[in-house]
Amino acid sequence: EDQVTQSPEALRLQEGESSSLNCSYTVSGLRGLFWYRQDPGKGPEFLFTLYSAGEEKEKERLKATLTKKESFLHITAPKPEDSATYLCAVRALDSNYQLIWGAGTKLIIKP
Amino acid sequence: KAGVTQTPRYLIKTRGQQVTLSCSPISGHRSVSWYQQTPGQGLQFLFEYFSETQRNKGNFPGRFSGRQFSNSRSEMNVSTLELGDSALYLCASSFGSGVDEQYFGPGTRLTVT
């Protein structure tokens, strides 16, 4: 069964303290992996798409990487405004275009 | 380029009533997906429409239904509302090619009393 697991469930960091969020997936074949950021009460905001192992994407303080079994979202020198829930989703080759979502990591950055 | 819009943004209904939510996708997008999100729960997939046809369906009862029009706008309907239907309902649009990302609207907050 296709599955996406995110860890940790919650992460508290001090401003400037870099860390990584994990998204591990089990699918028959990967069509694409997507990262989103969601603020409370709002719709998720698209961040990155990764298609193949070894691929990396960067945006400001965020960098997403992909291996054959997992993806990492690295946050460098985070600021309080980076506080949000980060969601990972996978589209498998046999999923008929449907996305499989992880439960998310709630990130809190303390000033 | 305008984003995904959802109306209404907030809604209060009584148990037993029905409700219709609307979603206008980004121009050119042919796929619209609907999700339910409740506190402590992740995104629960309801259904996806592509070119007016339901392409995927999640594990929700038949009280939840949807449709898509020729201009790609979509509506979802919930009949015989229950207290547990209180949630943020999110709509997302994409080109629908299978490799592209989804873009979400702001959501409709539904409260059932």
Side-chain angles (χ1 to χ4, degrees):
Chain A
E1 183 185 347
D2 297 334
Q3 198 168 6
V4 176
T5 304
Q6 291 189 247
S7 61
E9 288 186 14
L11 182 62
R12 294 175 182 267
L13 300 172
Q14 288 295 134
E15 183 174 1
E17 181 184 0
S18 301
S19 188
S20 298
L21 312 182
N22 178 264
C23 171
S24 63
Y25 60 92
T26 306
V27 297
S28 55
L30 182 68
R31 192 185 289 269
L33 184 143
F34 307 86
W35 281 100
Y36 288 82
R37 167 200 169 119
Q38 186 176 25
D39 293 305
K42 297 186 177 181
E45 174 190 349
F46 169 71
L47 293 173
F48 304 110
T49 305
L50 301 167
Y51 293 110
S52 56
E55 190 173 0
E56 299 182 351
K57 295 272 181 75
E58 278 188 79
K59 180 181 180 180
E60 296 180 356
R61 295 177 292 282
L62 300 176
K63 179 180 178 180
T65 61
L66 181 65
T67 71
K68 288 186 177 180
K69 294 185 177 181
E70 59 191 348
S71 176
F72 291 95
L73 185 65
H74 307 278
I75 302 177
T76 303
K79 299 181 178 182
E81 53 262 41
D82 294 322
S83 297
T85 295
Y86 290 85
L87 298 167
C88 167
V90 163
R91 187 175 281 126
L93 288 175
D94 61 354
S95 68
N96 193 30
Y97 306 99
Q98 185 173 336
L99 285 173
I100 305 161
W101 290 86
T105 294
K106 184 173 183 179
L107 177 66
I108 299 171
I109 308 298
K110 299 178 182 179
Chain B
K1 193 174 184 179
V4 178
T5 58
Q6 291 186 245
T7 56
R9 293 292 313 281
Y10 303 91
L11 206 50
I12 299 175
K13 290 287 188 178
T14 304
R15 270 182 304 176
Q17 289 185 317
Q18 75 161 14
V19 66
T20 299
L21 311 181
S22 181
C23 172
S24 292
I26 292 171
S27 177
H29 284 188
R30 296 164 65 189
S31 168
V32 173
S33 296
W34 289 90
Y35 296 90
Q36 181 194 68
Q37 190 174 42
T38 52
Q41 293 283 330
L43 287 171
Q44 303 295 313
F45 174 72
L46 282 156
F47 29 67
E48 182 213 2
Y49 286 87
F50 179 78
S51 293
E52 301 180 66
T53 301
Q54 188 179 83
R55 186 159 69 175
N56 283 295
K57 189 177 189 302
N59 295 322
F60 277 81
R63 300 186 296 108
F64 292 82
S65 63
R67 60 178 175 169
Q68 187 179 32
F69 302 96
S70 58
N71 62 357
S72 293
R73 190 177 68 85
S74 178
E75 289 182 346
M76 69 162 281
N77 183 275
V78 188
S79 62
T80 320
L81 283 166
E82 300 177 0
L83 294 178
D85 296 333
S86 295
L88 180 66
Y89 289 87
L90 292 160
C91 161
S93 78
S94 70
F95 286 110
S97 68
V99 295
D100 56 307
E101 59 275 4
Q102 293 182 348
Y103 292 90
F104 284 81
T108 294
R109 171 72 62 186
L110 172 64
T111 302
V112 182
T113 62

